[in-house]
Amino acid sequence: MTYFSTTRLFLAGAALVMLPGPVWALDGQDLLAKINAAYAAGSGKISASAVEVDGDDVLLKGVTLTVNTPDAKPLPVGDLTLKGVSEEDGGAYYIERLDFPAINFIQDKASFSVADLYLAGIHVPASTTSGDIDSLMLYEEAHSGPISVTVDGKPVFSIAESSAEMGVDDEGTTLSFEGEVTGIKGDLSMVEDAKSKEAIEKLGLTSLDGKVTMKGSWELPSGTIDVEEYAFDFASIGRLNLAFTLSGYTMELVKQLQETARTMQTDPNNQQAQQAAGLAMLGLAQQMNFVGAEIRFEDDGITKRGLDYAGAQQGGMSGEDIGQMVKGMVPLLLAQAKLGDIQNTVSAAVNAYIDKPESFTITAAPENPVPFPMIMGASMGAPETLPKVLGIDVTAND
């Protein structure tokens, strides 16, 4: 995915060649100021002891990152080189690539390292007030190489690679995004607590091996966020995917939420101010609508091991016995929850899954978008109406 078209880049390059150099000399301080203006929306500031320009590269020396909280201390980052910087129409900037120094942190017996960190295709907006996609600081690609955590010289957690991409449609109204974290490995055999260690071993979780994937889009005019996939996939456990669609998350709402968050950070010890800001945040969230959602789990052996372990904890019962107990308890628990007609559907799905664990899916597909205040009102006053309001269905092994 790319944010700028090939034609636009070609024309910008042609103009750069034809015009005199001094007219197009980069203003490094202006670039840093505009990065900070965009980054300030996330309640932070980037500082540099010096800014140097070399052709179309900008060097930021002695960079520090500070989060806007009362007790925040500057985090040293080091020197950063912004490569292939070009100024665009209206005062925006485009940065071809930004490489970050490798991270190697050691404290006591633990160490943490990250390599091959970079951002590519960065768009720095000329202004953050227009309320459209051009007012956002975006990147085409974010990448991280190997991440490693060791304790006493032994690897306990690692990631092979992570990457994320963004793109904007031709109309400039929809931002698409996707990401992947691969080669996630964890070693839980080093857990010292005897009870936890036993549970980990019985559940077959001494080593973790999996990945995380995400894909979705954000349409700014309607504020529709559509997360098609947010999946956690681990060998010998299973795949859990969360998908949902919300509307009303507009740029205006984003700015209001950010401003409220900054207010809460400014005076964290003022309980009255925190409560007022919290209520304001809740009020802003009520501008959003629920469009739909799906939660799906595909089993890869964890269900049977979980039932077997639960049985062993109950005086030597079998996993099959625990499964029958679960099937008997579910209707009673659902009756207490007063969920109406959906109770039979859920019971049938649970029974089918316990008998043959393959997949379990919960979907919510209302006929029309449901305002968040309506959902909150129904959950407090008439919870039995929620399944119908949200169009909930539960299935197994489909």
Side-chain angles (χ1 to χ4, degrees):
M1 301 181 196
T2 57
Y3 184 85
F4 296 97
S5 67
T6 304
T7 302
R8 186 174 179 183
L9 287 174
F10 176 80
L11 292 176
L16 183 61
V17 170
M18 290 186 291
L19 289 174
V23 176
W24 285 89
L26 288 171
D27 186 340
Q29 293 290 350
D30 180 62
L31 171 60
L32 180 58
K34 287 177 178 175
I35 290 175
N36 269 317
Y39 187 65
S43 302
K45 182 180 180 181
I46 300 172
S47 302
S49 59
V51 180
E52 298 178 1
V53 176
D54 181 11
D56 60 355
D57 293 346
V58 176
L59 173 62
L60 304 180
K61 289 188 172 181
V63 175
T64 58
L65 173 64
T66 306
V67 179
N68 290 341
T69 56
D71 300 324
K73 296 181 179 180
L75 175 67
V77 177
D79 296 346
L80 297 178
T81 300
L82 313 180
K83 300 178 181 178
V85 181
S86 58
E87 187 173 1
E88 305 208 309
D89 294 339
Y93 288 93
Y94 180 80
I95 305 170
E96 290 183 0
R97 187 175 171 110
L98 167 58
D99 289 277
F100 295 89
I103 298 173
N104 291 286
F105 177 76
I106 299 176
Q107 183 174 13
D108 298 329
K109 298 180 180 181
S111 67
F112 173 78
S113 65
V114 186
D116 199 16
L117 286 164
Y118 68 81
L119 292 174
I122 307 168
H123 166 68
V124 181
S127 171
T128 61
T129 61
S130 62
D132 56 15
I133 283 182
D134 286 336
S135 67
L136 300 173
M137 185 162 64
L138 304 173
Y139 57 81
E140 296 172 11
E141 181 186 4
H143 180 270
S144 165
I147 298 176
S148 176
V149 179
T150 64
V151 177
D152 286 333
K154 299 179 180 179
V156 296
F157 179 79
S158 63
I159 293 175
E161 185 180 32
S162 62
S163 61
E165 296 182 349
M166 290 186 186
V168 178
D169 65 352
D170 294 338
E171 289 74 25
T173 59
T174 300
L175 172 68
S176 58
F177 52 87
E178 59 181 301
E180 184 176 45
V181 182
T182 58
I184 302 174
K185 296 184 183 296
D187 183 3
L188 302 183
S189 63
M190 298 178 63
V191 173
E192 297 180 355
D193 180 73
K195 191 171 183 179
S196 299
K197 191 177 184 69
E198 180 190 7
I200 290 170
E201 291 176 350
K202 294 294 184 181
L203 293 173
L205 301 178
T206 53
S207 63
L208 301 177
D209 184 1
K211 64 179 181 178
V212 177
T213 53
M214 186 177 187
K215 182 178 182 180
S217 62
W218 178 24
E219 184 187 56
L220 270 68
S222 64
T224 299
I225 295 181
D226 182 16
V227 177
E228 304 172 31
E229 177 183 318
Y230 190 16
F232 303 81
D233 191 350
F234 285 82
S236 300
I237 298 176
R239 183 178 188 272
L240 175 66
N241 184 49
L242 312 175
F244 59 88
T245 304
L246 309 174
S247 65
Y249 193 73
T250 61
M251 280 294 297
E252 181 60 30
L253 177 59
V254 170
K255 291 179 179 179
Q256 292 174 344
L257 291 171
Q258 290 172 342
E259 183 61 35
T260 303
R262 280 194 290 270
T263 300
M264 296 176 72
Q265 292 175 346
T266 302
D267 196 1
N269 297 320
N270 188 327
Q271 186 175 359
Q272 186 175 359
Q274 291 292 308
Q275 290 176 347
L279 291 173
M281 190 82 75
L282 182 61
L284 292 172
Q286 290 182 356
Q287 300 178 34
M288 299 176 61
N289 300 311
F290 176 83
V291 179
E294 179 183 281
I295 303 174
R296 179 179 174 85
F297 177 71
E298 298 174 10
D299 181 73
D300 191 20
I302 190 64
T303 302
K304 184 181 185 305
R305 295 197 302 274
L307 292 173
D308 289 341
Y309 176 71
Q313 295 297 107
Q314 296 297 321
M317 295 177 63
S318 68
E320 289 78 7
D321 292 336
I322 294 296
Q324 293 303 317
M325 288 180 59
V326 172
K327 290 162 65 175
M329 292 173 58
V330 167
L332 299 177
L333 296 174
L334 292 174
Q336 294 177 0
K338 299 179 180 180
L339 296 180
D341 297 338
I342 195 69
Q343 293 176 193
N344 294 334
T345 301
V346 175
S347 295
V350 170
N351 292 348
Y353 181 78
I354 293 294
D355 290 340
K356 188 179 181 182
E358 293 181 351
S359 67
F360 196 83
T361 308
I362 303 172
T363 59
E367 294 182 3
N368 299 297
V370 183
F372 273 25
M374 181 181 294
I375 298 175
M376 296 172 61
S379 63
M380 291 185 292
E384 69 277 2
T385 66
L386 271 178
K388 186 175 182 180
V389 169
L390 298 179
I392 293 178
D393 190 23
V394 181
T395 58
N397 305 336
D398 53 350

